[in-house]
Coordinates of all heavy atoms in Angstrom, one line a residue:
P83 N 90.0 114.7 103.5 CA 91.1 113.8 103.8 C 91.0 113.1 105.2 O 91.4 112.0 105.4 CB 92.5 114.6 103.7 CG 92.0 115.8 102.8 CD 90.7 116.1 103.1
R84 N 90.5 114.0 106.2 CA 90.4 113.3 107.5 C 89.3 112.3 107.6 O 89.6 111.3 108.3 CB 90.0 114.5 108.5 CG 91.1 115.6 108.7 CD 92.3 115.0 109.5 NE 93.2 116.0 109.6 CZ 94.4 115.9 110.3 NH1 94.6 114.7 110.8 NH2 95.2 116.8 110.3
A85 N 88.3 112.4 106.8 CA 87.2 111.4 106.8 C 87.8 110.1 106.2 O 87.5 109.0 106.7 CB 86.0 111.8 106.0
L86 N 88.6 110.2 105.2 CA 89.3 109.1 104.6 C 90.2 108.4 105.7 O 90.2 107.2 105.7 CB 90.0 109.5 103.3 CG 90.7 108.4 102.5 CD1 89.6 107.4 102.0 CD2 91.5 109.0 101.4
G87 N 90.9 109.2 106.5 CA 91.8 108.7 107.5 C 91.0 108.0 108.5 O 91.4 106.8 109.0
R88 N 89.8 108.4 108.9 CA 89.0 107.8 109.9 C 88.5 106.4 109.4 O 88.4 105.4 110.0 CB 87.9 108.7 110.3 CG 88.2 109.7 111.3 CD 87.1 110.5 111.9 NE 86.2 111.2 110.9 CZ 86.4 112.4 110.5 NH1 87.4 113.1 110.8 NH2 85.6 113.0 109.6
A89 N 88.1 106.4 108.1 CA 87.6 105.2 107.4 C 88.6 104.2 107.4 O 88.5 103.0 107.6 CB 87.0 105.5 106.1
A90 N 89.9 104.6 107.0 CA 91.0 103.7 106.9 C 91.3 103.1 108.3 O 91.6 101.9 108.5 CB 92.2 104.4 106.3
D91 N 91.3 103.9 109.3 CA 91.5 103.5 110.7 C 90.4 102.4 111.2 O 90.8 101.4 111.7 CB 91.6 104.5 111.7 CG 92.8 105.5 111.6 OD1 93.8 104.9 111.1 OD2 92.8 106.6 112.0
L92 N 89.2 102.7 110.8 CA 88.1 101.7 111.1 C 88.4 100.4 110.4 O 88.2 99.4 111.0 CB 86.8 102.3 110.8 CG 86.3 103.4 111.7 CD1 85.0 104.0 111.1 CD2 86.0 102.8 113.1
M93 N 88.7 100.5 109.2 CA 89.0 99.3 108.4 C 90.2 98.4 109.0 O 90.1 97.2 109.2 CB 89.3 99.7 107.0 CG 88.1 100.2 106.2 SD 88.6 100.8 104.6 CE 88.6 99.3 103.6
S94 N 91.3 99.2 109.4 CA 92.3 98.6 110.0 C 91.9 97.9 111.4 O 92.4 96.7 111.7 CB 93.5 99.6 110.3 OG 94.6 99.0 110.9
D95 N 91.1 98.5 112.2 CA 90.6 98.0 113.5 C 89.9 96.6 113.3 O 90.1 95.8 114.1 CB 89.8 99.0 114.2 CG 90.5 100.3 114.6 OD1 91.9 100.2 114.7 OD2 89.9 101.2 115.0
V96 N 89.2 96.5 112.2 CA 88.5 95.3 112.0 C 89.2 94.3 111.1 O 88.7 93.1 110.8 CB 87.0 95.5 111.6 CG1 86.2 96.3 112.5 CG2 87.0 96.2 110.2
G97 N 90.4 94.6 110.6 CA 91.1 93.7 109.8 C 90.8 93.7 108.3 O 91.1 92.8 107.6
I98 N 90.2 94.8 107.8 CA 89.9 94.8 106.4 C 90.9 95.6 105.7 O 91.3 96.7 106.2 CB 88.5 95.5 106.2 CG1 87.4 94.6 106.8 CG2 88.2 95.7 104.6 CD1 86.1 95.2 106.9
T99 N 91.4 95.3 104.6 CA 92.2 96.1 103.7 C 91.7 96.2 102.4 O 91.2 95.3 101.7 CB 93.6 95.3 103.6 OG1 94.2 95.1 104.9 CG2 94.5 96.1 102.7
F100 N 91.5 97.5 102.0 CA 91.0 97.9 100.7 C 92.1 98.2 99.7 O 92.9 99.2 100.1 CB 89.9 99.0 100.7 CG 89.4 99.5 99.4 CD1 88.4 98.8 98.8 CD2 90.0 100.6 98.9 CE1 88.0 99.3 97.6 CE2 89.4 101.2 97.7 CZ 88.4 100.5 97.0
R101 N 92.3 97.6 98.6 CA 93.3 98.0 97.6 C 92.7 98.5 96.4 O 91.8 97.8 95.7 CB 94.1 96.8 97.3 CG 94.9 96.2 98.5 CD 95.6 95.0 98.2 NE 96.5 95.2 97.0 CZ 96.8 94.3 96.1 NH1 96.3 93.0 96.2 NH2 97.6 94.5 95.0
L102 N 93.1 99.6 95.8 CA 92.5 100.1 94.6 C 93.7 99.9 93.7 O 94.9 100.5 93.8 CB 92.2 101.7 94.7 CG 91.8 102.3 93.4 CD1 90.5 101.7 92.9 CD2 91.5 103.8 93.8
V103 N 93.5 99.1 92.6 CA 94.6 98.8 91.6 C 94.1 99.3 90.2 O 93.0 99.1 89.8 CB 94.7 97.2 91.6 CG1 95.7 96.8 90.7 CG2 95.1 96.7 93.1
G104 N 95.1 99.9 89.6 CA 95.0 100.4 88.2 C 95.8 99.5 87.3 O 96.4 98.5 87.7
P105 N 95.8 99.9 86.0 CA 96.5 99.1 85.0 C 98.0 98.9 85.3 O 98.7 98.0 84.8 CB 96.3 99.9 83.7 CG 95.2 100.8 84.0 CD 95.2 101.0 85.4
R106 N 98.6 99.9 86.0 CA 100.1 99.8 86.3 C 100.4 99.5 87.7 O 101.5 99.4 88.1 CB 100.7 101.2 86.1 CG 100.7 101.6 84.6 CD 101.6 102.8 84.4 NE 101.7 103.1 83.0 CZ 102.5 104.1 82.6 NH1 103.1 104.9 83.5 NH2 102.7 104.3 81.4
G107 N 99.4 98.9 88.4 CA 99.7 98.5 89.8 C 98.8 99.1 90.8 O 97.8 99.8 90.5
E108 N 99.2 98.8 92.1 CA 98.4 99.4 93.2 C 98.5 101.0 93.3 O 99.6 101.5 93.3 CB 98.8 98.8 94.4 CG 98.0 99.1 95.6 CD 98.4 98.3 96.8 OE1 99.4 98.7 97.4 OE2 97.8 97.2 97.1
L109 N 97.3 101.6 93.4 CA 97.2 103.0 93.6 C 97.2 103.5 95.0 O 97.9 104.4 95.4 CB 96.0 103.6 92.8 CG 95.9 103.3 91.4 CD1 94.6 103.7 90.8 CD2 97.0 104.0 90.6
V110 N 96.4 102.8 95.8 CA 96.3 103.2 97.2 C 95.8 101.9 98.0 O 95.1 101.1 97.4 CB 95.3 104.4 97.4 CG1 93.9 104.0 97.1 CG2 95.3 104.9 98.8
R111 N 96.1 101.9 99.3 CA 95.7 100.8 100.1 C 95.2 101.4 101.4 O 95.9 102.2 102.1 CB 96.8 99.9 100.4 CG 96.4 98.6 101.1 CD 97.5 97.6 101.3 NE 98.7 97.9 100.4 CZ 99.9 97.4 100.7 NH1 100.1 96.6 101.8 NH2 101.0 97.7 99.9
L112 N 93.9 101.1 101.8 CA 93.4 101.7 103.0 C 93.3 100.5 104.0 O 93.0 99.3 103.6 CB 92.0 102.1 102.7 CG 91.8 103.3 101.7 CD1 90.4 103.6 101.5 CD2 92.6 104.4 102.1
G113 N 93.7 100.7 105.3 CA 93.6 99.7 106.3 C 94.9 99.0 106.5 O 95.1 98.0 107.3
A114 N 95.9 99.4 105.7 CA 97.3 98.9 105.8 C 98.1 99.8 106.7 O 97.8 100.9 106.9 CB 97.8 98.8 104.4
D115 N 99.3 99.3 107.1 CA 100.2 100.1 107.8 C 101.0 100.9 106.8 O 101.8 100.5 106.1 CB 101.2 99.2 108.6 CG 100.5 98.5 109.8 OD1 99.6 99.0 110.3 OD2 101.0 97.4 110.1
G116 N 100.6 102.3 106.9 CA 101.4 103.2 106.0 C 102.6 103.8 106.6 O 102.7 103.8 107.8
K117 N 103.5 104.2 105.8 CA 104.8 104.7 106.3 C 105.0 106.1 106.0 O 106.0 106.8 106.4 CB 105.9 103.9 105.8 CG 105.9 102.5 106.2 CD 106.9 101.6 105.4 CE 106.8 100.2 105.6 NZ 105.5 99.6 105.2
S118 N 104.0 106.8 105.3 CA 104.1 108.2 104.9 C 103.8 109.2 106.0 O 102.6 109.2 106.4 CB 103.3 108.4 103.6 OG 103.3 109.8 103.3
K119 N 104.8 110.1 106.3 CA 104.4 111.1 107.3 C 103.5 112.2 106.6 O 102.7 112.8 107.4 CB 105.8 111.7 107.8 CG 106.6 110.8 108.7 CD 107.9 111.4 109.1 CE 108.6 110.3 109.9 NZ 109.9 110.7 110.3
L120 N 103.7 112.4 105.4 CA 102.8 113.4 104.6 C 101.4 113.0 104.7 O 100.5 113.7 105.0 CB 103.3 113.5 103.2 CG 102.5 114.5 102.4 CD1 102.5 116.0 103.0 CD2 103.0 114.5 101.0
L121 N 101.1 111.7 104.4 CA 99.8 111.1 104.4 C 99.2 111.3 105.8 O 98.0 111.5 106.0 CB 99.7 109.8 103.8 CG 99.7 109.6 102.4 CD1 99.7 108.2 101.9 CD2 98.5 110.4 101.7
R122 N 100.0 110.9 106.8 CA 99.6 111.0 108.2 C 99.2 112.4 108.6 O 98.2 112.6 109.1 CB 100.6 110.4 109.1 CG 100.4 110.7 110.6 CD 100.4 109.5 111.4 NE 100.2 109.9 112.8 CZ 99.1 109.8 113.5 NH1 98.0 109.4 112.8 NH2 99.0 110.0 114.7
A123 N 100.0 113.4 108.1 CA 99.7 114.7 108.4 C 98.4 115.1 107.7 O 97.6 115.9 108.3 CB 100.9 115.7 107.9
M124 N 98.2 114.7 106.5 CA 97.1 115.1 105.7 C 95.8 114.4 106.2 O 94.7 115.1 106.2 CB 97.2 114.8 104.2 CG 98.2 115.6 103.5 SD 98.6 115.1 101.9 CE 97.0 115.0 101.1
T125 N 95.8 113.1 106.5 CA 94.6 112.4 106.9 C 94.5 112.0 108.4 O 93.4 111.6 108.8 CB 94.6 111.0 106.1 OG1 95.7 110.2 106.6 CG2 94.7 111.2 104.6
G126 N 95.5 112.2 109.1 CA 95.5 111.8 110.6 C 95.5 110.4 110.8 O 95.2 109.8 111.9
S127 N 95.9 109.6 109.8 CA 95.9 108.1 110.0 C 97.3 107.4 109.3 O 97.8 108.0 108.4 CB 94.8 107.6 109.1 OG 94.8 106.2 109.1
N128 N 97.6 106.4 110.0 CA 98.8 105.6 109.6 C 98.2 104.4 108.7 O 99.1 103.6 108.3 CB 99.6 105.1 110.8 CG 100.5 106.0 111.2 OD1 101.0 106.9 110.5 ND2 100.9 105.9 112.5
S129 N 97.0 104.3 108.5 CA 96.4 103.3 107.9 C 96.1 103.4 106.4 O 95.3 102.8 105.7 CB 95.1 102.8 108.5 OG 95.2 102.6 109.9
I130 N 96.9 104.4 105.7 CA 96.7 104.7 104.3 C 98.2 104.6 103.7 O 99.1 105.2 104.2 CB 96.1 106.0 104.0 CG1 94.7 106.1 104.6 CG2 96.0 106.4 102.6 CD1 94.1 107.5 104.5
E131 N 98.2 103.9 102.6 CA 99.5 103.8 101.9 C 99.3 104.0 100.4 O 98.4 103.3 99.8 CB 100.2 102.4 102.1 CG 101.5 102.3 101.6 CD 102.3 101.1 102.0 OE1 101.8 100.5 103.1 OE2 103.2 100.8 101.4
L132 N 100.1 104.9 99.8 CA 100.0 105.2 98.4 C 100.8 104.1 97.6 O 101.7 103.6 98.2 CB 100.5 106.5 98.0 CG 99.6 107.7 98.3 CD1 100.3 109.0 97.9 CD2 98.3 107.6 97.6
G133 N 100.4 103.9 96.4 CA 101.2 103.0 95.6 C 102.4 103.5 95.1 O 102.8 104.6 95.5
Q134 N 103.1 102.8 94.2 CA 104.4 103.2 93.6 C 104.1 104.4 92.6 O 103.1 104.4 92.0 CB 105.2 102.1 93.0 CG 105.5 101.1 94.1 CD 106.3 99.9 93.4 OE1 106.2 99.7 92.1 NE2 107.0 99.1 94.2
L135 N 105.1 105.1 92.4 CA 105.0 106.3 91.5 C 104.6 105.9 90.1 O 103.8 106.6 89.5 CB 106.3 107.1 91.5 CG 106.3 108.4 90.7 CD1 105.2 109.4 91.2 CD2 107.7 109.0 90.8
H136 N 105.2 104.8 89.6 CA 104.9 104.4 88.2 C 103.3 104.1 88.0 O 102.9 104.2 87.0 CB 105.8 103.3 87.7 CG 105.4 101.9 88.3 ND1 106.0 101.5 89.4 CD2 104.7 100.9 87.8 CE1 105.5 100.2 89.6 NE2 104.6 99.9 88.7
A137 N 102.7 103.6 89.1 CA 101.3 103.3 89.1 C 100.5 104.6 89.2 O 99.4 104.7 88.5 CB 100.9 102.5 90.2
L138 N 101.0 105.6 89.9 CA 100.3 106.9 90.1 C 100.5 107.9 89.0 O 99.7 108.8 88.8 CB 100.7 107.5 91.5 CG 100.3 106.7 92.8 CD1 101.0 107.2 93.9 CD2 98.8 106.7 92.9
S139 N 101.6 107.8 88.3 CA 102.0 108.8 87.3 C 100.9 109.2 86.3 O 100.8 110.3 86.0 CB 103.4 108.5 86.8 OG 103.3 107.3 86.0
P140 N 100.3 108.2 85.7 CA 99.3 108.5 84.7 C 98.1 109.5 85.3 O 97.7 110.3 84.6 CB 98.7 107.2 84.2 CG 99.7 106.2 84.5 CD 100.5 106.8 85.7
L141 N 97.8 109.2 86.5 CA 96.7 110.0 87.2 C 97.2 111.3 87.4 O 96.5 112.3 87.2 CB 96.4 109.2 88.5 CG 95.6 107.9 88.4 CD1 95.3 107.4 89.8 CD2 94.3 108.1 87.7
L142 N 98.4 111.4 87.8 CA 99.0 112.8 88.2 C 99.1 113.6 86.9 O 98.8 114.8 86.8 CB 100.3 112.6 88.9 CG 100.3 112.0 90.3 CD1 101.7 111.8 90.8 CD2 99.5 112.8 91.3
R143 N 99.7 113.0 85.8 CA 99.8 113.7 84.6 C 98.4 114.2 84.0 O 98.3 115.3 83.6 CB 100.5 112.8 83.6 CG 102.0 112.9 83.7 CD 102.7 112.3 82.5 NE 102.2 110.9 82.1 CZ 102.8 109.8 82.4 NH1 103.9 109.9 83.1 NH2 102.3 108.6 82.1
G144 N 97.5 113.3 84.1 CA 96.1 113.6 83.7 C 95.6 114.8 84.5 O 95.0 115.7 84.0
W145 N 95.7 114.7 85.8 CA 95.1 115.8 86.7 C 95.9 117.0 86.4 O 95.2 118.1 86.3 CB 95.3 115.3 88.2 CG 94.9 116.4 89.1 CD1 93.6 116.8 89.5 CD2 95.7 117.3 89.9 NE1 93.6 117.8 90.3 CE2 94.9 118.1 90.6 CE3 97.1 117.4 90.0 CZ2 95.4 119.1 91.5 CZ3 97.6 118.3 90.9 CH2 96.7 119.2 91.6
L146 N 97.2 117.0 86.3 CA 97.9 118.2 86.0 C 97.6 118.8 84.7 O 97.5 120.1 84.6 CB 99.5 118.0 86.1 CG 100.0 117.8 87.5 CD1 101.4 117.5 87.5 CD2 99.9 119.1 88.4
G147 N 97.4 117.9 83.8 CA 97.0 118.4 82.4 C 95.7 119.1 82.3 O 95.4 120.0 81.5
Q148 N 94.7 118.7 83.2 CA 93.4 119.4 83.3 C 93.5 120.6 84.0 O 92.6 121.5 83.8 CB 92.5 118.4 83.9 CG 92.2 117.2 82.8 CD 91.2 116.1 83.5 OE1 90.9 116.3 84.6 NE2 90.9 115.1 82.8
T149 N 94.3 120.7 85.1 CA 94.2 121.8 86.0 C 95.2 122.9 85.8 O 94.9 124.1 86.1 CB 94.4 121.3 87.4 OG1 95.7 120.8 87.5 CG2 93.3 120.4 87.9
I150 N 96.2 122.7 84.9 CA 97.2 123.7 84.7 C 97.2 124.0 83.2 O 97.2 123.1 82.3 CB 98.6 123.3 85.1 CG1 98.6 123.0 86.6 CG2 99.7 124.3 84.8 CD1 99.8 122.4 87.2
S151 N 97.1 125.2 82.8 CA 97.1 125.6 81.4 C 98.4 125.3 80.7 O 99.5 125.3 81.4 CB 96.8 127.1 81.3 OG 97.9 127.9 81.6
R152 N 98.4 125.1 79.4 CA 99.6 124.9 78.6 C 100.7 126.0 78.8 O 101.8 125.7 79.0 CB 99.2 124.7 77.2 CG 100.4 124.2 76.3 CD 100.0 123.8 75.0 NE 101.1 123.4 74.3 CZ 101.6 123.9 73.2 NH1 101.1 124.9 72.7 NH2 102.7 123.3 72.6
R153 N 100.2 127.2 78.7 CA 101.2 128.4 79.0 C 101.9 128.3 80.3 O 103.1 128.5 80.3 CB 100.5 129.7 78.8 CG 100.1 130.0 77.4 CD 99.4 131.4 77.3 NE 99.0 131.7 75.9 CZ 98.4 132.8 75.7 NH1 98.0 133.6 76.6 NH2 98.0 132.9 74.4
W154 N 101.2 128.0 81.3 CA 101.7 127.9 82.6 C 102.8 126.8 82.7 O 103.9 127.0 83.3 CB 100.7 127.7 83.6 CG 101.1 128.1 85.1 CD1 101.0 129.3 85.6 CD2 101.6 127.2 86.1 NE1 101.5 129.2 86.9 CE2 101.8 127.9 87.2 CE3 101.9 125.9 86.1 CZ2 102.3 127.4 88.4 CZ3 102.4 125.3 87.2 CH2 102.6 126.1 88.3
R155 N 102.5 125.7 82.2 CA 103.4 124.5 82.1 C 104.6 124.9 81.3 O 105.8 124.6 81.7 CB 102.8 123.3 81.5 CG 101.8 122.6 82.5 CD 101.3 121.3 81.8 NE 100.3 121.8 80.8 CZ 99.5 121.0 80.2 NH1 99.6 119.8 80.3 NH2 98.7 121.5 79.3
I156 N 104.5 125.6 80.2 CA 105.6 126.1 79.4 C 106.5 127.0 80.2 O 107.7 126.9 80.2 CB 105.3 126.6 78.1 CG1 104.7 125.5 77.2 CG2 106.4 127.3 77.4 CD1 104.0 126.0 76.0
G157 N 105.9 127.9 81.0 CA 106.5 128.9 81.8 C 107.3 128.2 82.9 O 108.5 128.6 83.2
V158 N 106.7 127.2 83.6 CA 107.3 126.5 84.7 C 108.6 125.8 84.1 O 109.7 125.8 84.7 CB 106.4 125.5 85.4 CG1 107.1 124.6 86.3 CG2 105.4 126.4 86.2
A159 N 108.4 125.1 83.0 CA 109.5 124.4 82.3 C 110.6 125.4 82.0 O 111.9 124.9 82.2 CB 109.1 123.7 81.1
A160 N 110.4 126.5 81.6 CA 111.4 127.5 81.1 C 112.2 127.9 82.4 O 113.4 128.1 82.4 CB 110.7 128.6 80.4
V161 N 111.4 128.2 83.5 CA 112.1 128.7 84.6 C 113.0 127.6 85.2 O 114.1 127.8 85.6 CB 111.0 129.1 85.8 CG1 111.6 129.4 87.0 CG2 110.4 130.4 85.2
L162 N 112.5 126.4 85.3 CA 113.3 125.3 85.8 C 114.5 125.0 84.9 O 115.6 124.8 85.4 CB 112.4 124.0 85.8 CG 111.3 123.9 86.9 CD1 110.5 122.6 86.8 CD2 112.0 124.0 88.3
G163 N 114.3 125.1 83.5 CA 115.5 124.9 82.7 C 116.5 126.0 82.9 O 117.6 125.7 82.9
A164 N 116.1 127.3 83.1 CA 116.9 128.4 83.4 C 117.7 128.2 84.7 O 118.9 128.4 84.8 CB 116.3 129.7 83.3
A165 N 117.0 127.6 85.7 CA 117.6 127.3 87.0 C 118.7 126.3 86.9 O 119.8 126.4 87.4 CB 116.6 127.0 88.0
V166 N 118.4 125.3 86.1 CA 119.4 124.2 85.9 C 120.6 124.8 85.1 O 121.7 124.5 85.6 CB 118.7 123.1 85.1 CG1 119.9 122.1 84.6 CG2 117.7 122.3 86.0
L167 N 120.4 125.6 84.2 CA 121.5 126.2 83.5 C 122.4 127.1 84.3 O 123.7 127.0 84.3 CB 121.1 127.0 82.3 CG 120.5 126.2 81.1 CD1 120.0 127.1 80.0 CD2 121.6 125.3 80.5
V168 N 121.8 127.9 85.3 CA 122.6 128.7 86.1 C 123.3 127.9 87.1 O 124.5 128.1 87.4 CB 121.5 129.6 86.9 CG1 122.2 130.3 88.1 CG2 121.0 130.7 86.0
F169 N 122.7 126.8 87.7 CA 123.4 125.8 88.5 C 124.5 125.3 87.9 O 125.7 125.2 88.5 CB 122.4 124.8 89.1 CG 123.0 123.8 89.9 CD1 123.3 124.1 91.3 CD2 123.3 122.5 89.5 CE1 123.9 123.1 92.1 CE2 123.9 121.6 90.3 CZ 124.2 121.9 91.6
V170 N 124.4 124.7 86.8 CA 125.5 124.0 85.9 C 126.6 125.0 85.7 O 127.8 124.8 85.8 CB 124.9 123.4 84.7 CG1 126.1 122.9 83.8 CG2 124.0 122.2 85.1
G171 N 126.2 126.3 85.2 CA 127.2 127.3 84.9 C 128.0 127.7 86.2 O 129.3 127.8 86.0
R172 N 127.4 127.8 87.2 CA 128.1 128.2 88.5 C 129.0 127.0 88.9 O 130.2 127.2 89.5 CB 127.2 128.5 89.6 CG 126.6 129.9 89.5 CD 125.7 130.1 90.6 NE 125.1 131.5 90.4 CZ 124.3 132.1 91.3 NH1 124.0 131.5 92.4 NH2 123.9 133.3 91.0
R173 N 128.6 125.8 88.8 CA 129.4 124.7 89.2 C 130.5 124.5 88.3 O 131.6 124.1 88.7 CB 128.5 123.4 89.1 CG 129.0 122.3 89.8 CD 127.9 121.5 90.5 NE 128.5 120.3 91.0 CZ 128.5 120.1 92.3 NH1 128.1 120.9 93.1 NH2 129.0 119.0 92.7
A174 N 130.5 124.8 87.1 CA 131.5 124.7 86.0 C 132.7 125.7 86.3 O 133.8 125.4 86.1 CB 131.0 124.8 84.6
R175 N 132.3 126.8 86.9 CA 133.3 127.8 87.2 C 134.2 127.5 88.4 O 135.2 128.1 88.5 CB 132.6 129.2 87.4 CG 132.1 129.9 86.3 CD 131.6 131.2 86.5 NE 130.4 131.5 85.9 CZ 129.5 132.4 86.2 NH1 129.6 133.1 87.3 NH2 128.4 132.5 85.5
R176 N 133.7 126.6 89.2 CA 134.5 126.3 90.4 C 135.7 125.5 90.2 O 136.1 124.8 89.4 CB 133.6 125.5 91.4 CG 132.6 126.4 92.0 CD 131.9 125.5 93.1 NE 130.7 126.3 93.5 CZ 129.9 125.9 94.5 NH1 130.1 124.7 95.0 NH2 129.0 126.7 94.9

């Protein structure tokens, strides 16, 4: 990630902006003024900006689908569902 940040800073210094665009819109922009503190922490650069979530979501779903087993996803969904039920139940008692 740091090398990507250095490349983005160099692009910004010379006035070049690189945009990676997918079917749903812009995925990432290098050489642009980014606002994400998380990306700055990861890359060391303010010259990277991620696209909107609706453009990134197919990539994230595909990556998660490949890296996380089905059983694990079902387990996480069950735990999150139980947490929501507990929260709603406690809130209803008040």
